[in-house]
Structures are given as C-alpha cells and as structure tokens.
C-alpha cells in the first residue's frame, strides 16, 4: 500500500470532506529516543524494524497554524520567515498535505514556529509533522483517535508518531504490512525529577539525513542484526527502569543503546560518523564525571549534539560543568 491509501483508509468517509473552520492551530512536543529507532522494514510507510521508546520534551516543540487561503498553491512560513516554494522543506510539507486530498481544491498558509534548533539532530521534523497532523484534524474536525493521528504523523517522519504524546512513549513495531498496528502509545508513568540537558556542540545542518543513513546501515553493516536484537533487550530494561524509577538502570541502558546505534553506523560502508571532536570531548567529560560518582548519562541522535540524562538533585552541578546546556524537565509544568 502507499501513503495515500493509508490516509484514505484512516479518514474513511471523512476523506474529501470540506474544512470545518478557516484556521486551526496545534502544538506538538519534540521527543528524544531513549531506545532508538534505526532502520525501516518499509521505506514508503516508515515502518521500523524494531519498537522504540522516547521522552517528549514538554514545551519544546512546534506550533503550527493552518489557514485556508485564496491561492493556487500552499505558502509556508517557518519561524516568521516565508520560505521559497522550491525549498526542500516546503516540498516535503506540500507532498505530505497532498496525501490528504484526491484533488486539491483548497490551499493553506502553513505558519510553523519551532523553539528547537532545526536539523541539528533534535528531531524538529518529529514535532513538525505531529503538529501538522493535529492541526489538520482540528481544521477538518475529523476527531481521529490518537493511534490514527500517530500513524498519520509516522507517514511524514517515523519518529513523529511518538510526538503525538507527552511523557514516556513507546512506538510499537507492529507486524502488519499496511502498518495499521504500528503506532505510538503513552507510558502512563511520570517522573518529575527526570531532567534532559540539550548540549548543542554544533548548529550545523546534519551532513547526512536519517533516511539515507538508516538505509545504508541496514544494507551494509554486519552488526545490524545484533543491533536489532539489542533494542529488544534495552527496551525491556528501560521500561522496567521507568516503572521502578531506577535511574542508573535507565541511564546505562539508554547510553548503551545510543553508543551501539552509532557503532553500527560506523560499521556501515561508507561509514557514518555524526560525532565531531566537540562531541567526543563532551562524551569523555560525561564519563569522567560519572567515574567521580555523578549519576549522569547521555544519548545522541543523528547529529553531533548530546542529550544529557540526570535527575533534579544534580541540576546545579550539570549547569556548572556544561555552562551552555539547556535543561528541560519534561514532567514539570
Ligand atoms: O524519524 P527520523 O527519520 O527523523 O529518524 C529518527 C532517528 C533517531 O532520532 C536517530 C532515533 C529516534 O528513535 O528518534
């Protein structure tokens, strides 16, 4: 099946219905995977090889307003700047919106604001596609179920399916070829002391997109099958650690999951290496501090930046050791 068929299946009789409002706004948080998604079993529908687990970042994310406009084409504003219609970002959004209509008779102004650095491995596409799907749902009054919203967001970007929820979220791998059982569900446990530190070591766009990097890893790394087995193991440990608020167990499993993912990438051909010298020195600093007794771990996505994992009691120490870190408490509002 292709993406448009999945959209039509989910919308059913509501497909092609006219919008209910003239404009709608929605917000979705970005999310950081503690147990990563790396590799697709279906490139078109963004179906993963394994399940994954993330934490959403509260008020760090994307707010999108969709307004119906009298125009022959969509217009996109990103963080107050109008984008050229031939930019990669605009094309990706327009292609996604086209999935929702058999023929386009209406066009949108898509005004999107994000408070996270775009394309620096901080999953801005995840919150972006989730916010867009939520805004469409409001505009057309579809009132879709959360798992259907999660599937629609996945069609835009895999990890976006987890951004439909706040808190800890599990993206279930599913088994069906059409992916209708492959969506994210919330894990109800909260953990008010849980902190994430965004450590930006470079604002540069990532040199290789996650789609291409995943495909290359699956196709060429001899370690790939070991990686996917490890994910199932890590996932079980992380879920138990969340349940029991066992921070060292969670930190060790999340860090080891991230380093294994990056090792698998490095064993691809041509090798993929997102770390910069500044990434390596920050990793060494985390390890040194841990050797001195600090309960501090890291995770890293498809980019050079790190996300530090720690508890509120160590907040001041972390801020002192990493003066540029931006600290987020996902459960504190
Ligand atoms: O959803 P994508 O294509 O941006 O891929 C996300 C991949 C990682 O961020 C590295 C891992 C994850 O699970 O979020």
């Amino acid at each position: 099946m292709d993406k448009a068929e999945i959209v039509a299946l989910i919308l059913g009789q509501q497909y092609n219905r006219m919008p209910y409002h003239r404009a709608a706004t929605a917000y979705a948080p970005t999310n950081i995977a503690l147990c990563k998604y790396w590799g697709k079993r279906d490139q078109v529908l963004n179906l993963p090889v394994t399940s994954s687990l993330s934490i959403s970042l509260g008020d760090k994310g994307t707010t999108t307003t969709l307004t119906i406009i009298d125009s022959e084409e969509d217009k996109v504003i990103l963080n107050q700047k109008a984008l050229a219609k031939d930019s990669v970002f605009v094309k990706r959004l327009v292609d996604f919106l086209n999935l929702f209509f058999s023929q386009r008779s209406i066009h949108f102004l898509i005004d999107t604001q994000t408070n996270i650095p775009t394309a620096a491995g901080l999953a801005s596409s995840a919150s972006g596609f989730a916010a867009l799907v939520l805004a469409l749902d409001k505009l057309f009054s579809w009132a879709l179920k959360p798992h259907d919203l999660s599937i629609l967001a996945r069609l835009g970007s895999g990890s976006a399916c987890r951004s439909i929820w706040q808190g800890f979220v599990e993206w279930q791998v599913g088994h069906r070829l059409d992916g209708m059982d492959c969506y994210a569900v919330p894990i109800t446990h909260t953990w008010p002391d849980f902190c994430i530190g965004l450590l930006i070591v470079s604002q540069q766009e990532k040199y290789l997109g996650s789609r291409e990097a995943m495909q290359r890893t699956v196709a060429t790394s001899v370690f790939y099958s070991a990686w996917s087995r490890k994910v199932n193991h890590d996932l079980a440990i992380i879920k138990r650690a969340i349940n029991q608020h066992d921070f060292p167990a969670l930190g060790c499993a999340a860090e080891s999951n991230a380093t294994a993912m990056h090792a698998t990438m490095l064993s691809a051909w041509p090798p993929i290496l997102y770390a910069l010298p500044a990434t390596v020195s920050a990793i060494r600093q985390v390890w040194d501090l841990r050797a001195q007794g600090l309960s501090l771990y890291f995770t890293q996505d498809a980019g050079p930046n790190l996300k530090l994992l720690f508890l509120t009691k160590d907040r001041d120490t972390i801020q002192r050791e990493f003066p540029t870190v931006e600290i987020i408490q996902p459960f504190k509002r």
Side-chain angles (χ1 to χ4, degrees), residues 31-38 40 46 52-54 92 121 123 125-126 157-160 162 171 206 210-211 214 261-262 265 300-302 307:
N31 72 78
I32 304 295
L34 301 172
C35 186
K36 309 290 185 190
Y37 144 60
W38 196 254
K40 302 177 205 262
N46 292 335
S52 57
L53 189 148
S54 61
R92 207 168 156 201
S125 66
S157 162
S159 55
R162 299 185 306 233
W171 175 7
K206 52 187 158 197
S210 53
R211 168 171 288 273
M214 275 184 206
M261 177 181 79
H262 286 279
M265 287 188 216
Q300 183 190 350
D301 292 295
K307 289 91 186 189

Side-chain angles (χ1 to χ4, degrees), residues 33-52:
L34 301 172
C35 186
K36 309 290 185 190
Y37 144 60
W38 196 254
K40 302 177 205 262
R41 67 176 193 279
D42 182 317
Q43 304 292 334
V44 175
L45 300 179
N46 292 335
L47 300 179
V49 175
T50 62
S51 295
S52 57

Side-chain angles (χ1 to χ4, degrees), residues 9 39 41 47 53 91 93 98 127 151 160 198-199 202 221-222 225 251 254 260 268 277 280-281 301 306 324 330:
L9 189 70
R41 67 176 193 279
L47 300 179
L53 189 148
K91 283 193 183 142
L93 284 190
N98 285 342
S127 55
I151 291 174
L198 302 181
L199 192 63
S202 164
S221 167
V222 290
S225 58
V280 175
S281 70
D301 292 295
L306 297 187
T324 61

Side-chain angles (χ1 to χ4, degrees), residues 227-238:
W227 153 255
S228 60
R229 279 196 307 278
K230 178 173 165 59
V231 169
N232 295 328
H233 179 244
D234 293 342
L235 192 65
I237 295 177
I238 293 173

Side-chain angles (χ1 to χ4, degrees), residues 71-108:
S71 163
E72 291 298 297
E73 59 193 21
D74 298 318
K75 296 193 163 67
V76 180
I77 297 176
L78 172 63
N79 293 340
Q80 267 119 36
K81 264 213 232 128
L83 298 186
K85 66 176 183 194
D86 55 357
S87 72
V88 177
F89 188 83
V90 173
K91 283 193 183 142
R92 207 168 156 201
L93 284 190
V94 172
D95 283 350
F96 185 71
L97 285 171
N98 285 342
L99 298 173
F100 291 81
F101 308 92
S102 55
Q103 259 187 339
R104 271 296 205 111
S105 54
I106 48 174
H107 290 90
F108 305 98

Side-chain angles (χ1 to χ4, degrees), residues 16-286:
N16 276 331
R17 166 167 149 187
M18 288 311 281
Y20 206 75
H21 308 282
R22 204 184 67 85
T25 299
Y27 168 80
T30 190
N31 72 78
I32 304 295
L34 301 172
C35 186
K36 309 290 185 190
Y37 144 60
W38 196 254
K40 302 177 205 262
R41 67 176 193 279
D42 182 317
Q43 304 292 334
V44 175
L45 300 179
N46 292 335
L47 300 179
V49 175
T50 62
S51 295
S52 57
L53 189 148
S54 61
I55 172 98
S56 286
L57 293 194
D59 58 10
K60 284 268 165 212
T62 302
T63 303
T64 293
T65 300
L66 279 178
T67 309
I68 294 172
I69 48 171
D70 190 11
S71 163
E72 291 298 297
E73 59 193 21
D74 298 318
K75 296 193 163 67
V76 180
I77 297 176
L78 172 63
N79 293 340
Q80 267 119 36
K81 264 213 232 128
L83 298 186
K85 66 176 183 194
D86 55 357
S87 72
V88 177
F89 188 83
V90 173
K91 283 193 183 142
R92 207 168 156 201
L93 284 190
V94 172
D95 283 350
F96 185 71
L97 285 171
N98 285 342
L99 298 173
F100 291 81
F101 308 92
S102 55
Q103 259 187 339
R104 271 296 205 111
S105 54
I106 48 174
H107 290 90
F108 305 98
L109 172 67
I110 307 148
D111 187 345
T112 187
Q113 303 240 24
T114 168
N115 57 8
I116 39 174
T118 44
L122 281 173
S124 54
S125 66
S127 55
F129 280 106
L132 186 56
V133 164
L134 292 170
L136 280 166
D137 184 62
K138 272 195 191 170
L139 189 73
F140 288 86
S141 290
W142 292 325
L144 294 176
K145 299 222 163 55
H147 70 264
D148 283 333
L149 295 167
S150 176
I151 291 174
L152 293 176
R154 162 169 57 72
L155 300 178
S157 162
S159 55
C161 74
R162 299 185 306 233
S163 278
I164 295 294
W165 305 99
Q166 288 283 7
F168 294 111
V169 179
E170 182 180 354
W171 175 7
Q172 299 175 336
V173 63
H175 299 290
R176 289 174 56 142
L177 290 178
D178 62 5
M180 293 305 282
D181 57 354
C182 178
Y183 49 79
V185 291
I187 294 174
T188 46
H189 289 271
T190 60
W191 197 338
D193 286 343
F194 197 92
C195 295
I196 303 234
L198 302 181
L199 192 63
I200 308 291
V201 303
S202 164
Q203 289 272 7
Q204 271 171 28
E205 296 254 327
K206 52 187 158 197
Y207 82 103
L208 184 66
S210 53
R211 168 171 288 273
E212 194 187 328
M214 275 184 206
Q215 231 168 311
R216 191 190 299 171
T217 312
V218 177
T220 66
S221 167
V222 290
F223 297 150
Y224 192 75
S225 58
W227 153 255
S228 60
R229 279 196 307 278
K230 178 173 165 59
V231 169
N232 295 328
H233 179 244
D234 293 342
L235 192 65
I237 295 177
I238 293 173
K239 278 163 79 169
R240 193 174 335 120
I242 291 172
N243 207 345
Q244 299 172 350
H245 282 200
D246 181 345
F247 187 71
L250 181 141
C252 289
E255 185 173 307
S256 141
N257 183 268
T259 52
M261 177 181 79
H262 286 279
T264 310
M265 287 188 216
L266 195 58
S267 69
W269 194 260
I272 301 159
L273 179 58
Y274 285 111
L276 294 172
T279 317
V280 175
S281 70
I283 289 175
R284 292 205 170 278
Q285 196 178 347
V286 169

